[in-house]
Amino acid sequence: MDVFDELLRGVRGKGAVFGRSVLWPPWSLRFTDGPYLTLCVPLRGAGWIVPENGEARRVALGDTAIVRGPAPFRFTDDPPDDPPDDPPDGTATERATGVREVHWGEEAPGAAVDRDLELSGSTVLLAAAYDVREQVPRRLLRALPPVLVISDEQDCSPMWDYLETQSGAGRPGDQTVLDRLLDWLLVCTLRDWFDRPEAEPPGWYSALGDEVAGPALRAIHENPAHPWTTAELASVAGVSRTTFAKRFTELVGNGPVAYLAEWRMTLAADLLTRPELTVAAVARRVGYADAFGFSAAFKRLRGESPSTFRQEPAASSATSPASATAPATASAATATPRVPDRAVPAG
């Protein structure tokens, strides 16, 4: 089993999750809705991502950036000393009106732009919001830095051209095509990041490549309901029980039985968001013979009972149609008063 694939399988775009902004300098977009992840892809030009707390990162054509929420951040140009040039239609007065708001899935003021005018914008940004509520992918994604930027080292410039063409084409199925393309970019960017020396993935992720701990971790993920013991997992790894327990604990940070319990409770937290499953049914799916033992383990590891967890708003909405990707509120980006030009989002 590919554990990376398992962790990110549920992180997918599902409609009304992207905004396309055409920008003339000086400009600044402020993202305030706090989705768990925001994917930023310049289709033309470049800009700077400025997190609320952290170092600004430049993002140019050929780069893909991921911003970890929920803290607000800005996507802005490097302000020139000279006054901004007017776009070719001479709408300087209209562009000086100040704050503009961009809404996911809604047509913002100025969205209907002449194609020739749109092509004159020095920067085009495609952004997608992923409101990841599931606990399984969060096990990996919580290790991300506030902002990461991955440069395209394989010369995929035709993909960027295709993204720009598709995002404004107005053809049947455009939303689905864009969702899948953005999903592809997100997963590839994450995979490239975690392969880099500067990444700091959790111990269990790094241990997947170990010849001792790796086979045991994959066995646990393939069949979490199995009543694994340390001795049985050592047999899977092909080493003695003592050698296995020592190596596993050194790499992962806790013992194999404790890791199994934590993984089961992570799976259970997502299963509890499904109203058709009883607590007893969830217990059986993660390896417990009855609801009582499962409830005790869940409360011990997560600090609340399964019934209490199920009643929380975040848990009850985790499987709603838009929850995997749409921001919690309507507004996804707000143009600050520094924007005297037109910022054009795609509805």
Side-chain angles (χ1 to χ4, degrees):
M1 171 180 286
D2 186 335
V3 177
F4 187 88
D5 179 67
E6 176 190 16
L7 291 170
L8 297 181
R9 185 178 296 123
V11 183
R12 303 188 68 184
K14 298 179 181 178
V17 299
F18 70 93
R20 184 172 183 267
S21 299
V22 181
L23 308 163
W24 290 270
W27 47 264
S28 180
L29 298 179
R30 180 170 170 80
F31 291 73
T32 59
D33 279 344
Y36 197 82
L37 295 179
T38 302
L39 181 71
C40 295
V41 185
L43 301 181
R44 191 188 317 152
W48 292 80
I49 289 179
V50 184
E52 190 174 60
N53 296 301
E55 180 183 355
R57 299 292 304 275
R58 190 173 187 273
V59 188
L61 181 65
D63 293 342
T64 303
I66 295 176
V67 184
R68 180 168 55 85
F73 70 94
R74 289 185 296 123
F75 183 78
T76 182
D77 66 334
D78 190 7
D81 295 331
D82 298 329
D85 293 332
D86 291 344
D89 68 345
T91 57
T93 301
E94 178 187 353
R95 293 187 295 107
T97 55
V99 176
R100 292 180 183 272
E101 291 188 354
V102 179
H103 299 275
W104 297 111
E106 297 181 8
E107 186 173 12
V113 178
D114 179 83
R115 184 64 176 170
D116 292 336
L117 174 59
E118 180 177 331
L119 291 173
S120 72
S122 62
T123 301
V124 176
L125 172 69
L126 192 65
Y130 291 79
D131 192 15
V132 183
R133 303 192 180 212
E134 292 82 0
Q135 298 298 309
V136 168
R138 284 193 176 199
R139 278 173 59 88
L140 179 62
L141 298 179
R142 67 168 62 102
L144 295 175
V147 180
L148 66 89
V149 179
I150 297 294
S151 298
D152 172 30
E153 299 174 351
Q154 304 298 323
D155 190 21
C156 292
S157 55
M159 175 62 73
W160 267 254
D161 295 337
Y162 187 65
L163 272 170
E164 181 168 9
T165 301
Q166 290 299 308
S167 65
R171 298 177 58 192
D174 273 358
Q175 180 70 65
T176 301
V177 171
L178 281 167
D179 285 345
R180 298 293 78 79
L181 288 173
L182 292 169
D183 292 345
W184 178 83
L185 278 176
L186 177 71
V187 173
C188 286
T189 302
L190 290 171
R191 182 176 60 185
D192 288 349
W193 168 255
F194 281 113
D195 285 343
R196 296 195 169 201
E198 64 267 33
E200 297 182 359
W204 57 264
Y205 181 83
S206 301
L208 286 167
D210 183 73
E211 61 183 8
V212 173
L217 282 167
R218 287 188 288 273
I220 288 172
H221 281 256
E222 286 173 4
N223 190 4
H226 183 78
W228 295 106
T229 63
T230 301
E232 188 175 8
L233 289 170
S235 177
V236 170
V239 296
S240 70
R241 184 181 185 279
T242 301
T243 299
F244 167 72
K246 182 176 183 294
R247 182 66 174 171
F248 190 99
T249 304
E250 287 176 348
L251 295 178
V252 177
N254 53 16
V257 174
Y259 179 86
L260 171 63
E262 290 178 2
W263 177 237
R264 284 175 168 178
M265 294 309 106
T266 300
L267 294 172
D270 287 340
L271 290 171
L272 286 168
T273 67
R274 297 172 53 178
E276 75 275 13
L277 295 178
T278 64
V279 172
V282 172
R284 289 191 295 271
R285 290 199 178 198
V286 296
Y288 287 82
D290 59 70
F292 298 104
F294 164 69
S295 296
F298 191 92
K299 187 172 184 179
R300 183 178 70 254
L301 292 175
R302 301 190 68 93
E304 59 185 344
S305 69
S307 298
T308 301
F309 175 84
R310 170 167 270 176
Q311 293 169 4
E312 294 176 354
S316 63
S317 63
T319 54
S320 64
S323 66
T325 50
T329 60
S331 175
T334 305
T336 72
R338 279 196 60 243
V339 186
D341 50 75
R342 175 177 291 176
V344 182

